[in-house]
Amino acid sequence: MDTLHLKAPGNWLNDPNGFIYYKGKYHLFYQYFPYAPVWGTMHWGHAVSEDLVHWEHMGAALFPTRYEDQNGCFSGSAIEQDGKMNLYYTGIRYREINPENIHVSEKEYDVMQLMISSEDGYAFDNFGGKRVVIPGTENMRDPKVWKEENGDFYMVLGSSSRGEMGSAVFYRSKDGFNWQYMSRCQSGRFGKILECPDLFRVGENYILIGSAMHITESTGGYEHHAVCMPVQFDTEKCRLTLHEASREEYQYVDYGLDLYAPQTNVDAEGRRVMIAWMRMPKAVEKPGCVPWNGMMCLPRVVEYKDGHVYFRVHPAVDEYFGIEISGEDEQDLFFEDDVEKESISEAKEAGASAILTGEPVRIQVTMKPGECLDIGGFLIREERDFIRTDRGEVFGNIRGHRTMSSTPKLYGRYKLDIFVEPNLIEVFVNDGEYVISNVVYGLGNMICGRVEKIWKGNAGIKC
């Protein structure tokens, strides 16, 4: 069982798929290659949770069986209809097979949108239960399906216009099986190709989340990133309109820029919740364990206020961290403000620090201008009205990936809520105004700097 962060159960994990609250449990499917800790022929792995914190792996739910999906069951979504769980996904068939590695291809491929149903959310008939709902006519992918108040079903697919501009393609259906093409929206905000689009309502406002490919230059990091923006959506004409006047042209979903392919779902209390894939440039290898690559971020509640999208800590995560182990009045932390000449490294040598045991830890602090917090070699500092992180010391000798991240300008507010695990640190800034999530390797075992509260998780709590 995984706690807090769903991790690859050995080998490879990427995009979250089919995230749904169904018959009293949360189901999260994910892109899964079960044979090696690298990207390959896609299956759908499956995990289940009662509380979004404790996850139980259920094995592979979908795997290639048809002509249309013979080279992979790619990303998609889930919806409940008449008591059944319906999964929609993109099937891939390579036009030319790589003789050296049948699991990858740089050549052209055909796409189809397929659907498969389950009576209970656990058993899927891969050999006889799949059906094509939209034949492939162009490079469309990653169907997100939802039902509007008018009773109709809607589907948005990621696509590209001539490989030059990302686009969102909309279909509509009365029954969830027979679909009619409705419209297309293209924009430079979607990069050159849009992946994993997700359109949903928060209150009276529509929010679009998507993964825009080639949206930045690949200098010191990825060039494909998850973005979000408020939009208008006409359910009658299926017309998507981007806001021209907003606080930003678009926001990054996460400013650590390791996060990708987010997907949202409504939880048991009606909150809009997001989970996303954290990209890892190398596998985690430990003696006696199967190497694994890929994990999910913490579940985050999506809210919208004054033209800005917030990603807040989910209440289930709040409940899990219920044991306070240190505060500003205790002596097992090193307080940088109290020492004039000693450096952080000297404080480490003297043992004046909190100890990280490898269990999840939550750190809360309101930073002052110029302050720096050292979490086992991972640095968080306030600098010129930005919160910046530096993972250079705990990222290993990995070339071609950025080691420093930054929020936009913060206008004097630096409240941080930090979640630490051995391979992932997530920094929620100003109650989710921005989030920086960084994958790490080789994290040290001490915390140095001014800290207000440290909490540890309680594995016995279920929300």
Side-chain angles (χ1 to χ4, degrees):
M1 176 177 284
D2 287 341
T3 302
L4 286 180
H5 300 100
L6 183 70
K7 302 179 180 69
N11 298 310
W12 176 268
L13 168 156
N14 60 290
D15 302 8
N17 298 151
F19 185 27
I20 187 173
Y21 184 69
Y22 175 75
K23 294 186 177 180
K25 291 189 177 182
Y26 297 95
H27 293 255
L28 181 61
F29 302 86
Y30 52 88
Q31 296 287 270
Y32 179 43
F33 185 59
Y35 309 121
V38 297
W39 191 95
T41 300
M42 285 297 126
H43 298 47
W44 275 31
H46 184 195
V48 174
S49 174
E50 295 181 0
D51 57 9
L52 291 171
V53 169
H54 302 84
W55 292 95
E56 181 180 2
H57 286 277
M58 308 304 298
L62 301 187
F63 50 87
T65 56
R66 287 184 60 122
Y67 175 80
E68 293 88 356
D69 69 6
Q70 63 183 276
N71 295 114
C73 303
F74 279 66
S75 290
S77 57
I79 192 170
E80 182 175 356
Q81 183 179 1
D82 299 327
K84 297 180 180 181
M85 182 192 291
N86 293 342
L87 303 183
Y88 297 83
Y89 69 98
T90 299
I92 294 292
R93 183 183 67 83
Y94 297 147
R95 295 179 184 173
E96 183 177 332
I97 300 297
N98 181 348
E100 301 297 325
N101 184 351
I102 65 171
H103 296 291
V104 297
S105 176
E106 300 298 327
K107 305 297 182 179
E108 293 183 347
Y109 52 85
D110 294 321
V111 298
M112 300 277 184
Q113 313 310 321
L114 292 90
M115 192 198 78
I116 187 170
S117 295
S118 172
E119 297 284 349
D120 60 3
Y122 294 91
F124 295 90
D125 181 5
N126 281 274
F127 291 98
K130 298 176 180 177
R131 61 180 294 177
V132 175
V133 292
I134 300 178
T137 56
E138 59 179 305
N139 184 18
M140 296 190 298
R141 60 187 74 180
D142 313 331
K144 178 62 188 287
V145 175
W146 74 99
K147 191 175 184 179
E148 282 284 352
E149 294 177 352
N150 60 15
D152 287 355
F153 296 89
Y154 293 77
M155 177 190 293
V156 58
L157 292 143
S159 187
S160 177
S161 298
R162 301 182 181 87
E164 298 176 354
M165 186 175 293
S167 58
V169 181
F170 291 91
Y171 284 76
R172 188 173 177 177
S173 172
K174 292 293 184 181
D175 57 11
F177 301 97
N178 301 288
W179 294 87
Q180 178 184 3
Y181 169 79
M182 296 298 294
S183 68
R184 172 189 292 267
C185 175
Q186 63 184 41
S187 171
R189 304 185 200 181
F190 300 159
K192 294 183 179 179
I193 304 172
L194 182 65
E195 294 192 306
C196 304
D198 191 350
L199 179 65
F200 54 87
R201 192 180 298 179
V202 176
E204 297 301 316
N205 301 283
Y206 278 99
I207 305 295
L208 178 70
I209 289 180
S211 295
M213 300 186 71
H214 308 287
I215 199 168
T216 61
E217 297 293 330
S218 58
T219 54
Y222 303 103
E223 57 181 328
H224 315 320
H225 297 293
V227 298
C228 62
M229 61 201 77
V231 297
Q232 294 177 330
F233 184 64
D234 182 338
T235 57
E236 183 62 32
K237 298 180 180 179
C238 268
R239 181 174 297 166
L240 183 75
T241 305
L242 306 186
H243 287 196
E244 294 300 327
S246 61
R247 184 166 160 182
E248 297 99 353
E249 185 177 40
Y250 61 79
Q251 292 174 231
Y252 290 119
V253 173
D254 190 293
Y255 285 78
L257 302 182
D258 288 341
L259 182 148
Y260 198 71
Q263 187 168 107
T264 71
N265 166 46
V266 176
D267 72 5
E269 304 301 324
R271 294 174 289 239
R272 178 62 59 170
V273 182
M274 184 210 78
I275 289 182
W277 169 42
M278 299 305 306
R279 296 179 281 195
M280 304 180 74
K282 69 175 183 177
V284 176
E285 299 184 13
K286 295 182 179 180
C289 298
V290 177
W292 62 273
N293 193 325
M295 61 192 301
M296 302 298 179
C297 70
L298 287 174
R300 305 174 185 183
V301 177
V302 185
E303 297 182 2
Y304 179 71
K305 181 180 178 182
D306 298 331
H308 189 79
V309 183
Y310 290 76
F311 296 94
R312 306 192 193 275
V313 178
H314 192 278
V317 177
D318 274 325
E319 186 71 15
Y320 174 78
F321 286 96
I323 301 174
E324 185 175 358
I325 58 175
S326 292
E328 60 182 1
D329 58 340
E330 303 205 14
Q331 301 302 313
D332 60 347
L333 293 173
F334 169 67
F335 299 101
E336 188 178 0
D337 289 351
D338 296 338
V339 180
E340 294 183 0
K341 297 182 179 180
E342 286 185 324
S343 67
I344 292 291
S345 60
E346 290 171 340
K348 287 181 178 181
E349 292 175 2
S353 60
I355 303 300
L356 294 175
T357 64
E359 296 297 321
V361 173
R362 181 181 196 176
I363 303 167
Q364 293 174 315
V365 60
T366 301
M367 300 196 79
K368 297 177 181 178
E371 282 189 327
C372 178
L373 178 63
D374 184 337
I375 305 175
F378 181 86
L379 304 180
I380 306 173
R381 59 169 54 92
E382 189 286 327
E383 184 178 304
R384 299 178 182 177
D385 206 30
F386 302 87
I387 291 295
R388 305 190 192 277
T389 64
D390 184 348
R391 62 179 173 184
E393 291 188 17
V394 291
F395 198 51
N397 296 319
I398 301 173
R399 297 181 179 180
H401 290 269
R402 71 176 69 241
T403 58
M404 302 185 71
S405 303
S406 177
T407 65
K409 193 174 180 67
L410 294 172
Y411 303 97
R413 295 181 62 244
Y414 317 121
K415 180 182 177 183
L416 307 185
D417 201 354
I418 307 161
F419 297 84
V420 183
E421 273 210 79
N423 291 104
L424 180 62
I425 297 180
E426 294 166 274
V427 184
F428 290 77
V429 181
N430 295 335
D431 298 313
E433 180 181 12
Y434 301 105
V435 187
I436 296 177
S437 299
N438 288 139
V439 169
V440 296
Y441 299 89
L443 199 66
N445 67 345
M446 290 177 287
I447 303 172
C448 296
R450 188 179 63 85
V451 173
E452 294 168 3
K453 292 182 180 180
I454 299 182
W455 306 81
K456 70 177 182 179
N458 184 341
I461 292 179
K462 289 194 176 182
C463 308

